[in-house]
Structures are given as structure tokens and as C-alpha cells.
Amino acid sequence: MLANRMFQKLGLQMSPATKHNLYSDFGAACLFSLFNVVFNQFYIALAIRQGATNLEVGILAAAPAIGLLFSPIWAGRIEQSNPKPFVIIPNVIGRALLLLPAFFGAPSVYVVTAIIFYFLMGIQAPAYPALITRMYQPELRGRLMGYVRVAMGAIMIPLAYLVGSWTDKSGPSGPLITAAITGVISILFLSRVKEIALPTKVSARKSSFKEQLKLVRNHRELVVFFAATTLTGFGNILASPLYQIIQVRELQLNNIEIALARISYYVCLLVAYFVVGWVIDRFSAKQTLVYGLAAFAIVPLLYGIFGNYPAVIIGSGIQGIGDAIWDIGILAYIFRVVPGREAVVFGLHLMLFGIRGSIAPLLSTGLSDYMPISGLLIAAAICGCIGTVIFLLQKDNKEMTESVPVTYRH
């Protein structure tokens, strides 16, 4: 009853199936919080403390991209079948893998675990947008995705401090084991979701890679989107491992100080999730996404120009805003431009992420031994600025807008 009154106050008129899926997604996100903190925020720092070299740090930073190189292959298969198993099974296996570095703490184990994990994520990543379209009513999708992530972000704020303190006192094994267990439980919780009626007709056959590329060529919005996200994303990933190196090696921050930066990240992530979901449903995914692109140009500037602890705190907060906008904004943008073809387009998006994500961190960590890190960060910021300008100057295709039903507009 309390939940129903809260939904009414928020203006959420949900079908029973949507409400069931919201509860399942909400529970899964809350349980996933610890895994998210340990793996996405502390994993590379833990590997550095275990003796990882700059090259190994670069490989760890590139690992999220390696498996995604094959996403279009999986996307073609997902488009002709139920996406749910493609989300659940890889996540169960991948999250359990965190037990390996917990028991065998060599840097090489951290690297191998990350590569295998992200290869599995390359399977589930294009399936997730297709699953989301089957979980939530189109007119509420942006807000519901935002509210679920707000809950997750709220839990991660204290968890970031607790994990930092925990690892300082007892080492990484305990947090890694606990993260693996809660991560597996969370994905099993998500497996409870049920499919609702789709607002758009989904292709029943497998799309070849050539057909996927043709889909992009026929939509100018997608061409500009891929160009902008590739440039900005390249700059963001180029800078990402350098942040960790600056924090641990140059500033010599302890895990609690790193945790405070993560808290800044999560506070801004939480606020952004709440605002972004609301803005997308009422206004424009495109306009919202511009701010996410700009955020990824600002963060490397802060590190490159100042490079001190306040820059770490502020940069972490801006990074949280950017991540929230990319998380929801890209999904919403793809839903609008090519409804029913989300898995295919997201698969191509992830493939491009795989290409830039494999090259950029290895490039930046390799060059960091031969040139100032500040210069690499300025170069990353320039890439982000160019990508933002490309997307900002894009003109709406009126013909496309008229031919695609905009289900978010009230």
C-alpha cells in the first residue's frame, strides 16, 4: 500500500506486469550495489596495490572493451530470440569469477578475470536494451530506469566508504568474495522479470553485419551519434587509467581517501539518475545526452590542469553525472531513433566502444612512460570537446522524426 501511494504521488500509473518488473529490477539493483562498488570503483586500485604494472593497468582499463568487439554477432542472435537468457546466464558466470582474485591475488589473475568477465558482458550488453523494452511501459521507461538507479546509487554512497575502510584494514579478499556472492544473487533476482507487450514490432530474423551497417547508413542521426560517442568515448577511456595512476601513485591516496572520491561520484550519479530519467520522459534524450558528452570533456581537463585531490573529488562528481546520462540517455536515444532494433544498434555501439576501449587505455598507459600525463589528459579533453560539438550541431531530421512514434512524449 505504501508503495502504491508513492507511485501515485510520482505520477506512475503502472500495469501489474510493469509493477512486478519494477520490484524485481529494484531488488536486483540494490543487491548489485556492493558488486558495483568493488568491481567498478576499486578493482583497478586493488590491482595496483597488488603490484600491477602500467601495462597491466592499461589492460585492465581496456578489458571492458575487449569482449564488446563481438557484440554485433551476439546482437544478431538476440534480435531473433528472447533476450533474457543472454542477460542472466553471462552475468551469473561473470560475477562468480570475482572469487578468483579473492583467493589468488596476483596481478595476472586480476587481469585474466577482468578479460573473461567483460567478454561475458559483451554477450549480455546488447541484450539488456532489448530486455528493458519488454520490462517497462514506454511512457514510463526513462523514469523507472532512473528511479531504480537512484536506489542503487543511494546504497553505494555508504558502501564506497565501507569498502575503502574494509580493504585498508583486512585486504581485498573479503570485499571480493562478498561482491561475488551478492552479484550472483542480484542477477538471479532480475531473472524474475516478465515480458510485457511490445509497442513496436521486432524483427524475427537474424540481421547480418552488412544489414546492420545499412541500418546505420539510412539514419543520419545514428551516424552522428556514433561519431560523437566514439570521439568523446575515446577521450574518456584514454584518460580513465590515468586517473587511477594519479590517485594511487602520484597523490598516494589511501583507500579511504579514494572512497571519499567515490562518494562524490555516487552522490552526483544518484542526483543525475533522478533528474535524467525525468528530463528524458518530458523533453529530449538528445538534449540530455549533450551534457553527458560535455562531462567527459571536463573531467580530464580538471586532472590535467590541477591534478590535486580537490580535482579528484570534483572530477569524480562530474564523472558520475556523465555516466548517469550515458547510461540512461544512450538507451533512450536509441529507443527513439530505431524502435524495435535496439539490440542491433546497441551491439554496433558496443563494438565501437570495444575498438576505442581496447586501443585508448593501452595507448595512454604506454605513452605515460614517455610523456607527461597532463599532456595526455589535455588530448583526451580535446577529443571530448570535438565529439560534443559534433553532436550539438546535429540538426534534427524532420522526416525521421515524423516517421518514428515518439512514445516518451506526453
mmCIF file of all heavy atoms in Angstrom, residues 340-357:
data_model
loop_
_atom_site.group_PDB
_atom_site.id
_atom_site.type_symbol
_atom_site.label_atom_id
_atom_site.label_comp_id
_atom_site.label_asym_id
_atom_site.label_seq_id
_atom_site.Cartn_x
_atom_site.Cartn_y
_atom_site.Cartn_z
ATOM 1 N N GLY A 340 12.478 -1.037 -31.851
ATOM 2 C CA GLY A 340 12.419 -2.409 -32.329
ATOM 3 C C GLY A 340 13.747 -2.954 -32.802
ATOM 4 O O GLY A 340 13.886 -4.162 -32.994
ATOM 5 N N ARG A 341 14.748 -2.083 -32.996
ATOM 6 C CA ARG A 341 16.077 -2.534 -33.458
ATOM 7 C C ARG A 341 17.152 -2.197 -32.423
ATOM 8 O O ARG A 341 18.311 -2.025 -32.754
ATOM 9 C CB ARG A 341 16.431 -1.871 -34.795
ATOM 10 C CG ARG A 341 15.409 -2.016 -35.898
ATOM 11 C CD ARG A 341 15.084 -3.461 -36.230
ATOM 12 N NE ARG A 341 16.239 -4.264 -36.573
ATOM 13 C CZ ARG A 341 16.785 -4.300 -37.801
ATOM 14 N NH1 ARG A 341 16.262 -3.587 -38.788
ATOM 15 N NH2 ARG A 341 17.827 -5.070 -38.043
ATOM 16 N N GLU A 342 16.735 -2.126 -31.156
ATOM 17 C CA GLU A 342 17.648 -1.673 -30.110
ATOM 18 C C GLU A 342 18.871 -2.577 -29.964
ATOM 19 O O GLU A 342 19.997 -2.102 -29.803
ATOM 20 C CB GLU A 342 16.918 -1.595 -28.752
ATOM 21 C CG GLU A 342 15.769 -0.607 -28.717
ATOM 22 C CD GLU A 342 14.451 -1.233 -29.163
ATOM 23 O OE1 GLU A 342 14.450 -2.442 -29.481
ATOM 24 O OE2 GLU A 342 13.437 -0.521 -29.194
ATOM 25 N N ALA A 343 18.647 -3.901 -29.999
ATOM 26 C CA ALA A 343 19.759 -4.828 -29.783
ATOM 27 C C ALA A 343 20.831 -4.666 -30.853
ATOM 28 O O ALA A 343 22.035 -4.658 -30.565
ATOM 29 C CB ALA A 343 19.250 -6.269 -29.746
ATOM 30 N N VAL A 344 20.397 -4.540 -32.117
ATOM 31 C CA VAL A 344 21.349 -4.409 -33.220
ATOM 32 C C VAL A 344 22.154 -3.120 -33.107
ATOM 33 O O VAL A 344 23.388 -3.119 -33.211
ATOM 34 C CB VAL A 344 20.611 -4.467 -34.575
ATOM 35 C CG1 VAL A 344 21.488 -3.936 -35.696
ATOM 36 C CG2 VAL A 344 20.202 -5.900 -34.882
ATOM 37 N N VAL A 345 21.469 -1.990 -32.906
ATOM 38 C CA VAL A 345 22.157 -0.699 -32.838
ATOM 39 C C VAL A 345 23.053 -0.640 -31.606
ATOM 40 O O VAL A 345 24.189 -0.152 -31.669
ATOM 41 C CB VAL A 345 21.137 0.461 -32.832
ATOM 42 C CG1 VAL A 345 21.838 1.795 -32.607
ATOM 43 C CG2 VAL A 345 20.374 0.492 -34.141
ATOM 44 N N PHE A 346 22.548 -1.145 -30.489
ATOM 45 C CA PHE A 346 23.375 -1.131 -29.284
ATOM 46 C C PHE A 346 24.573 -2.057 -29.445
ATOM 47 O O PHE A 346 25.649 -1.789 -28.920
ATOM 48 C CB PHE A 346 22.538 -1.538 -28.066
ATOM 49 C CG PHE A 346 23.059 -0.974 -26.781
ATOM 50 C CD1 PHE A 346 22.947 0.380 -26.512
ATOM 51 C CD2 PHE A 346 23.656 -1.793 -25.834
ATOM 52 C CE1 PHE A 346 23.432 0.912 -25.327
ATOM 53 C CE2 PHE A 346 24.140 -1.280 -24.647
ATOM 54 C CZ PHE A 346 24.027 0.079 -24.390
ATOM 55 N N GLY A 347 24.402 -3.149 -30.191
ATOM 56 C CA GLY A 347 25.525 -4.027 -30.471
ATOM 57 C C GLY A 347 26.619 -3.320 -31.251
ATOM 58 O O GLY A 347 27.814 -3.467 -30.960
ATOM 59 N N LEU A 348 26.229 -2.530 -32.257
ATOM 60 C CA LEU A 348 27.211 -1.752 -33.023
ATOM 61 C C LEU A 348 27.874 -0.689 -32.146
ATOM 62 O O LEU A 348 29.081 -0.446 -32.249
ATOM 63 C CB LEU A 348 26.535 -1.091 -34.223
ATOM 64 C CG LEU A 348 26.079 -2.037 -35.344
ATOM 65 C CD1 LEU A 348 25.223 -1.283 -36.357
ATOM 66 C CD2 LEU A 348 27.280 -2.676 -36.029
ATOM 67 N N HIS A 349 27.074 -0.046 -31.307
ATOM 68 C CA HIS A 349 27.616 0.952 -30.376
ATOM 69 C C HIS A 349 28.669 0.321 -29.475
ATOM 70 O O HIS A 349 29.748 0.891 -29.240
ATOM 71 C CB HIS A 349 26.468 1.536 -29.547
ATOM 72 C CG HIS A 349 26.912 2.368 -28.385
ATOM 73 N ND1 HIS A 349 27.602 3.546 -28.522
ATOM 74 C CD2 HIS A 349 26.771 2.165 -27.047
ATOM 75 C CE1 HIS A 349 27.857 4.056 -27.316
ATOM 76 N NE2 HIS A 349 27.372 3.228 -26.416
ATOM 77 N N LEU A 350 28.387 -0.889 -28.994
ATOM 78 C CA LEU A 350 29.327 -1.572 -28.120
ATOM 79 C C LEU A 350 30.560 -2.052 -28.869
ATOM 80 O O LEU A 350 31.663 -2.102 -28.310
ATOM 81 C CB LEU A 350 28.632 -2.749 -27.429
ATOM 82 C CG LEU A 350 27.525 -2.356 -26.436
ATOM 83 C CD1 LEU A 350 26.792 -3.593 -25.940
ATOM 84 C CD2 LEU A 350 28.081 -1.560 -25.279
ATOM 85 N N MET A 351 30.385 -2.411 -30.142
ATOM 86 C CA MET A 351 31.540 -2.816 -30.942
ATOM 87 C C MET A 351 32.507 -1.632 -31.079
ATOM 88 O O MET A 351 33.730 -1.791 -30.937
ATOM 89 C CB MET A 351 31.109 -3.297 -32.323
ATOM 90 C CG MET A 351 32.271 -3.765 -33.199
ATOM 91 S SD MET A 351 31.828 -3.954 -34.928
ATOM 92 C CE MET A 351 31.667 -2.227 -35.429
ATOM 93 N N LEU A 352 31.951 -0.450 -31.351
ATOM 94 C CA LEU A 352 32.795 0.743 -31.458
ATOM 95 C C LEU A 352 33.451 1.064 -30.118
ATOM 96 O O LEU A 352 34.610 1.480 -30.061
ATOM 97 C CB LEU A 352 31.964 1.934 -31.949
ATOM 98 C CG LEU A 352 31.483 1.843 -33.399
ATOM 99 C CD1 LEU A 352 30.514 2.977 -33.713
ATOM 100 C CD2 LEU A 352 32.666 1.869 -34.356
ATOM 101 N N PHE A 353 32.694 0.851 -29.041
ATOM 102 C CA PHE A 353 33.297 1.014 -27.720
ATOM 103 C C PHE A 353 34.443 0.016 -27.539
ATOM 104 O O PHE A 353 35.493 0.343 -26.976
ATOM 105 C CB PHE A 353 32.254 0.805 -26.629
ATOM 106 C CG PHE A 353 32.848 0.682 -25.249
ATOM 107 C CD1 PHE A 353 33.309 1.802 -24.579
ATOM 108 C CD2 PHE A 353 32.969 -0.556 -24.634
ATOM 109 C CE1 PHE A 353 33.872 1.693 -23.317
ATOM 110 C CE2 PHE A 353 33.534 -0.669 -23.374
ATOM 111 C CZ PHE A 353 33.981 0.455 -22.717
ATOM 112 N N GLY A 354 34.230 -1.201 -28.044
ATOM 113 C CA GLY A 354 35.277 -2.214 -27.944
ATOM 114 C C GLY A 354 36.540 -1.810 -28.671
ATOM 115 O O GLY A 354 37.654 -2.029 -28.179
ATOM 116 N N ILE A 355 36.380 -1.194 -29.837
ATOM 117 C CA ILE A 355 37.555 -0.768 -30.614
ATOM 118 C C ILE A 355 38.307 0.341 -29.888
ATOM 119 O O ILE A 355 39.513 0.252 -29.643
ATOM 120 C CB ILE A 355 37.131 -0.309 -32.024
ATOM 121 C CG1 ILE A 355 36.579 -1.505 -32.825
ATOM 122 C CG2 ILE A 355 38.309 0.326 -32.763
ATOM 123 C CD1 ILE A 355 35.933 -1.116 -34.130
ATOM 124 N N ARG A 356 37.583 1.416 -29.529
ATOM 125 C CA ARG A 356 38.268 2.537 -28.870
ATOM 126 C C ARG A 356 38.719 2.155 -27.460
ATOM 127 O O ARG A 356 39.764 2.604 -26.982
ATOM 128 C CB ARG A 356 37.354 3.765 -28.825
ATOM 129 C CG ARG A 356 36.101 3.630 -27.975
ATOM 130 C CD ARG A 356 35.264 4.904 -28.004
ATOM 131 N NE ARG A 356 34.086 4.832 -27.169
ATOM 132 C CZ ARG A 356 32.858 4.569 -27.615
ATOM 133 N NH1 ARG A 356 32.653 4.343 -28.919
ATOM 134 N NH2 ARG A 356 31.833 4.535 -26.790
ATOM 135 N N GLY A 357 37.917 1.307 -26.805
ATOM 136 C CA GLY A 357 38.261 0.916 -25.446
ATOM 137 C C GLY A 357 39.436 -0.031 -25.371
ATOM 138 O O GLY A 357 40.088 -0.138 -24.325
#
